[in-house]
Amino acid sequence: MSVAPRRLHVVLGAGPAGRTLAAELARRGHLVRLVSRSAPQGAPDGVQCRAADVSTHDGALAAVEGAAVVYHCVNVAYHQQTEVMPRVQQAVLAAVGTTGARLVVLDTLYPYGPTQGEVMTEDTPWRATSRKGVMRAQLDEAYLAAHRAGRARVVLGRSADFVGPGVLNSTLGGAVFPPALTGGEVLGMGDIDLPHSYTAIQDVAKGLAVLGEDPEGDGRVWHLPTAPARTTREIHSMIEERVGRPLRRVVLTEPRPFGPFDATFMDEYAEMFYQHTEPQIVDSSAFERSFGHRPAPLEATLDDTLGWYRTLLAGAHN
């Protein structure tokens, strides 16, 4: 009896989401290729690495060669997004259209724009007014139009802000956990008593892997499994319990440089600061019902994240 060959899953982008996804796919027994502009260093065990510029037609084609499923987890510097991300989309859509690979896109909440605290579901209207929000909405419309027209098979997985091992550039990342562990100043943004959803990076990876394995979800947007929203103050209290000391919190009521977020980033982030002046609540129940995957409890995610940062800081001092 012959054994069917394993199908190749290609992950574009070697940031925290791409790396965590590559490891999850390899754990599930898939052949995995991880692609970034320069060959990724320290890739998960069993994962092939390739360098390619997927903002170009030839680079994208080379990246997805032989793939059954392609995962678009590419991100670029914040101030370059409106220029570069449309080029990446055009090249990647053309490449999967040529090769026939299915495309799973890691997406953001930006297309919704300000919601005045409305719980976000997949049926929430897209009302973005910021440059980056309008750009993301236009990209998503193009992805779904390509699927409807039969030019590509596409599914989108939307995530709230990331949190978890390996996540640095998040409002619950490098400006929070290292100073919490060392006694430095911990960042809070906007109104810290508003509920704010965070998606564990492990749930981002598991959710995208599920979408890659099950084509029944194609042709639409899904909210990736996301734990119930908590206020920033609540999350900080949970961190205090775990590190055994009160946090030295600095709350920014308007965007300005702080910690890993320099002036270039904060100038670009200003149009998105509404996310910290109104509740940001994500409902992922549709995904949970359809695919049977529930998000990790935030308590477990914080434990894992603090453990990762402890190891990172210990390495920096050796």
Side-chain angles (χ1 to χ4, degrees):
M1 182 176 62
S2 63
V3 177
R6 291 190 295 166
R7 303 192 308 160
L8 176 64
H9 291 236
V10 172
V11 179
L12 308 179
R19 287 177 176 272
T20 308
L21 173 57
E24 174 65 18
L25 291 167
R27 186 188 68 79
R28 290 169 175 251
H30 298 295
L31 293 172
V32 184
R33 177 190 300 152
L34 181 62
V35 179
S36 65
R37 283 181 64 93
S38 56
Q41 302 297 312
D45 290 343
V47 174
Q48 308 168 13
C49 293
R50 180 173 294 188
D53 180 357
V54 299
S55 70
T56 68
H57 180 268
D58 290 346
L61 267 178
V64 308
E65 177 188 9
V69 185
V70 174
Y71 302 83
H72 176 2
C73 299
V74 176
N75 208 351
V76 298
Y78 212 58
H79 64 284
Q80 297 176 332
Q81 287 192 358
T82 55
E83 173 192 354
V84 177
M85 294 303 285
R87 294 208 309 264
V88 173
Q89 182 204 48
Q90 292 166 9
V92 171
L93 263 182
V96 298
T98 298
T99 64
R102 290 179 56 241
L103 178 62
V104 180
V105 179
L106 173 57
D107 196 18
T108 73
L109 303 178
Y110 289 8
Y112 297 130
T115 64
Q116 288 72 56
E118 174 187 349
V119 175
M120 286 174 272
T121 73
E122 290 88 342
D123 295 324
T124 298
W126 298 4
R127 297 172 288 209
T129 56
S130 65
R131 289 182 305 114
K132 283 179 280 296
V134 170
M135 177 267 294
R136 290 283 187 172
Q138 290 171 342
L139 295 186
D140 290 355
E141 289 168 356
Y143 284 125
L144 297 174
H147 181 88
R148 289 193 299 269
R151 297 194 304 273
R153 294 174 295 164
V154 186
V155 61
L156 284 72
R158 280 192 180 151
S159 170
D161 290 341
F162 295 164
V163 59
V167 175
L168 297 169
N169 296 322
S170 167
T171 53
L172 197 54
V176 173
F177 293 102
L181 288 165
T182 60
E185 293 182 332
V186 170
L187 174 65
M189 283 196 184
D191 186 342
I192 65 171
D193 291 307
L194 295 175
H196 194 104
S197 291
Y198 290 92
T199 307
I201 198 69
Q202 296 94 334
D203 286 325
V204 171
K206 291 175 181 176
L208 293 176
V210 166
L211 294 177
E213 292 174 339
D214 190 346
E216 291 299 315
D218 287 358
R220 58 163 289 179
V221 173
W222 295 93
H223 286 177
L224 299 174
T226 299
R230 307 280 188 98
T231 69
T232 299
R233 192 182 301 276
E234 286 179 293
I235 294 172
H236 284 179
S237 295
M238 295 166 70
I239 294 172
E240 287 176 333
E241 293 173 4
R242 286 159 170 76
V243 300
R245 66 159 64 92
L247 301 186
R248 296 175 54 211
R249 182 166 46 222
V250 175
V251 179
L252 303 187
T253 56
E254 59 185 24
R256 63 175 173 82
F258 185 95
F261 303 122
D262 61 16
T264 299
F265 177 89
M266 280 302 198
D267 285 348
E268 281 291 327
Y269 194 67
E271 66 174 2
M272 309 306 300
F273 203 76
Y274 69 84
Q275 296 174 108
H276 307 286
T277 60
E278 64 177 29
Q280 289 275 290
I281 305 172
V282 173
D283 179 346
S284 61
S285 59
F287 188 102
E288 296 170 39
R289 287 193 306 268
S290 297
F291 300 104
H293 177 76
R294 295 186 58 79
L298 182 59
E299 291 82 355
T301 299
L302 292 179
D303 290 339
D304 291 345
T305 306
L306 283 164
W308 184 85
Y309 272 101
R310 285 189 180 98
T311 300
L312 180 71
L313 293 172
H317 290 98
N318 288 339

